[in-house]
Amino acid sequence: MKIAVLQFPGTNCEFETLVAVKAVGMEGEIFRWNRPAGELSGFDGFVIPGGFSYQDRLRAGVIASKEPVMSALKEEAGIGKPIIGICNGFQILVETGLLPGSIEKSSGNVDMALAQNVMVSQGKIVRRGYYCDWVNLRHEAPSKRCSGSFAIERGALLKIPIAHGEGNLVTTTPGLMKKLNDEGQVVFRYCDKNGRIIDEFPFNVNGSTESIAAICNEPGNVLGMMPHPERAFFAWQLPAFDPRKQRPDEPGPGRRVFESMKRYIEVNA
Amino acid sequence: MKIIGLSDPQVQTSLRAAGIGMSVPEARTIAGVLGRDPTLTELFCYDAMWSEHCSYKSSRATLKEFLPTDGPNVVMGPVEDSGIVAIDDKWCVVISHESHNHPSQILPNEGAATGIGGIVRDVNCMGATVVATADPLRFGNPYGPKANKVRWVAEGVVDGIWQYGNALGVPNMGGDIVFNDSFDDNCLVNVVSIGIVRRDQIIRSRAPPLAGEKGYDVILIGKPTDSSGLGGVTFASEALREEDEETNRGAVQIPDPFLKNVLFKANDDLFRLVRESGIEIGFKDLGGGGFTCATSEMGSAGGFGMEINLDDMHTAADFPAEVLSIAETQERFLIVSPPELREKILKIYNEDWDLPNVYEGARASVVGKINTGDRFTVTHKGEMVCDVPIQHLTEGIRYNRLELPRTIRVQEPDVAEPADYNQVLLQILRSPNIASREHVYRYYDTEVMGNAVIRPGEADAGLIAPVRGEKFGIALAVDSNPFYGRISPYWGGATAVAEAMRNVAAVGAVPSTLTDCLNYGNPEKPEAFWEFREGVKGLAESCKKLYLKGYEAQQQAVPIVSGNVSFYNESPQGSVDPSPVVACVGIMKDFSKAITMDLKKAGDKLFLIGPRFDELGGSEYYRTIFGETGANVPIVRFDLERNMIYAVIDAIDEGLLAAAHDISNGGLAASVAEMALTRPARFGVELDLDCVQGGDIGMRTDKLLFSESSGFVLEAKAGSEARLEELLKSYSLEPMQIGIVTSKRRIVMSRAGECVADLDLDEARNAWTAGLVEAMR
């Protein structure tokens, strides 16, 4: 079971992401953008890690989305291999049109955007732009619905950090939000520590529509998420006030995303 | 340029007309050594290399006289771009500390960003992985006459730091911010960076042995050289004048974290190549002084000569030789390597990492050769533009500056004790210098790399666990209090060291090394030079008397392995308050033992160590409540200080403490409040001030609460109190059990049976979290 961790110029989370991939018992390697794209077919799954690919020029993720490796990745997605895009990886998947996966099949449209964060509290904009903090996520999809949350039960709560300037999911495509909800494509939402969805800052940390933090495509093999599970892989990485931090040998909440990916590949093999 | 035979005023005129900052005697010395009139390029090269910034011409003698730079853990002292200390037998910490003050005042965003960009190169070029940065920042008064400019600078600096650091992918793990009117026209933007490297994989910034005999290549990599940052070091070596603002803008470099990100990964491949081939190379970043500084210092450090051909350099346009020589174009490195590695090295940068396609004009180019001579020669378009003795160029010059104590009148204010301590406490918590730093550090990516154990705001120091599978942690903290420095430059220096060490001790780490960035005014003015000397003396005294833990018997000083001197932080309106900014690196053998400062459990007992003295000079209380400075600046009682630091480290190692926080700005009251207000902010406290003993007996309640004498507040784990008291007493400390953690969300303080303060936790938290937002809005 071999995972490619994609690396574009400006990617900056590939090393810790590879650590996470390997720690759950998968093989993995970093796949540099200028390697022959055809070699991607030799891998069983893919992670597009976070960072600032091509310096976020024009729009976050848009230049990387035009790379030959992304065309090759579309084909791999088409045959059901799991792809997890984290943060900038999510932005790249959206710009590629792999997420949410168009309503009109194969139209290849970009149906949504991850816009600048706008933090709103009590009707007022209290902050904009880049933000780094730990957030609480509620798993919205049933287990086995999506590759990256395959082994996570619906309603499970995960504490994972975010660090981004553009994670505010917006769309003007009619019917898209309804479809995402109806088809179980909403994978994680931001919530409070008890799992309540409170659609304003600091709970909805970036102003995202319906507090959405992660979505998958219709078949469920492609997942995009703004939070960084690889940074919450060990319990000792948790913030000081989390009691699990004192039990450093425990797995961190983010580990479940990588375990899910592994489980998904095992089941679909 | 003609110098020989001309009068002093004539030489002066032609130097200034050419944009060269050196003095006439300096120019004559150069002409004398060369035995002819120097070329324009030669003068520019000397001007950069002999600038205060590159040559430490005013400061070197003082630094050498006082600062301890050696110790049993020192792998490399302050000789190259970064200092290196050992963590254990295998791993080392690499640390560097610089200022980017002038550029940040002119163009805050670019100035602060290139500050980060430069410091991470200094660490990376030792063969290290850069794992953290920290930014000590000093801004003017956000409510003063220059509030608009001050806020513009502050916002731009913070933006520059996060935009560069986050994109590069290096977490920002610490730093501090102080607002003070002496920084109205001269902000201070210091930057600290640390890296890790295996002891057997350190790469030196010098031409390796036999480089001359074997004709090693000089390879320039990175961004194409342009004219940005032209004269940056000269600009950093003069006071700021408003009328020069246009010219000064050109001296600010242009940052590019994206290219740096790719370069770092390519450098990793270079390091791997070096390891696998077993061949030593020289590697250095291009910073102040640009291409000339990096090349000539590498050659001279190896004892060799060097020949450069500027026609082989990749450039952004057709610039004159003097521009190519000293422009401070960012994102460049220099390699000195044997010819047999040439093709492999070029392939790493030009093909594997595809620099020419990642960034227009970027690449690796062979630009020269090392030889066994003693000259630094540069040709451009077939002409010899520079031919000088390499050692003469790099050794610089020395000045013995005059010092004269600055006479200032200080006195303790005669103020009445406040009637309403709740209001006083709220005002202090809301002060921009005490308020929560959360507004700023939410911009900083602390999580990238996945190494963060303790983040900014959670404790007095940041802590990272940078190597998977290893248990050690590295703590980092910075400190310098300009208000103390104003009253006493000496105690300003001494307290900076003590507080930085307290900060890393408060998480449980053992202070291992220090760096200093010495920010002062114009050293040609005797008062400013005196302040500098006093500050260095104070720093040195603390280093020498607080001892490296584990080596007390030998009275081993805590070594200072890296640093920087930043003079000329002044404008016609005056100079900055003396600011010897100190960073402290602490090592923990087992990072899982580290603790934070937030209160953990209702019922836990709070202990104070460190008696209270009448030391409110430069205090937050005097300043915020009365607008006064005072005179009784906190001093360092070296034996007491050392005992407190050691006791806290031991107590954390034994697992006796649930939380710890040092006492500094805002005194005991602010420290206790911060422990309650730091997330998750679930608990209140009840303090009984009658339990505060020792120190100056019978002090008024306000002095007791707000004195900034050093100390710690410790939350003991239930059941550990007796052992804690025993441990503290073994260090000759008087444990003072001053209160308990409560489940009521109130901060309550009483004395002699009467309530002094009784503050709602949420009201206090609102004030504390709003203070910085309001100051930076």
Side-chain angles (χ1 to χ4, degrees), chain A residues 12-13 16 52, chain B residues 130-131 164-171 257 261 445 448-449:
Chain A
N12 66 22
C13 303
E16 53 268 39
F52 291 71
Chain B
V130 182
V131 290
Y164 196 101
N166 295 0
L168 180 61
V170 174
N261 169 298
D445 190 346
V448 65
M449 301 183 105

Side-chain angles (χ1 to χ4, degrees), chain A residues 7 9 11-12 14 16 32 34 52 54-55 57 127 130-134 231 237-241 245, chain B residues 166-167 169 256 258 261 265 352-353 439 442-445 447-450 453 455 458 596 679-680:
Chain A
Q7 179 186 47
T11 298
N12 66 22
E14 64 270 47
E16 53 268 39
R32 192 161 55 207
N34 53 1
F52 291 71
Y54 290 98
Q55 207 169 17
R57 287 178 201 156
R127 189 173 171 128
Y130 199 91
Y131 203 74
C132 173
D133 198 3
W134 285 71
R231 300 176 179 187
Q237 292 169 321
L238 285 159
F241 52 85
K245 191 177 181 78
Chain B
N166 295 0
D256 198 307
F258 166 68
N261 169 298
K265 291 171 193 176
D352 297 350
W353 293 93
H439 169 70
R442 290 280 164 247
Y443 284 111
Y444 299 159
D445 190 346
E447 307 303 313
V448 65
M449 301 183 105
V453 182
R455 300 155 179 87
E458 292 182 341
T596 51
R679 285 204 307 198

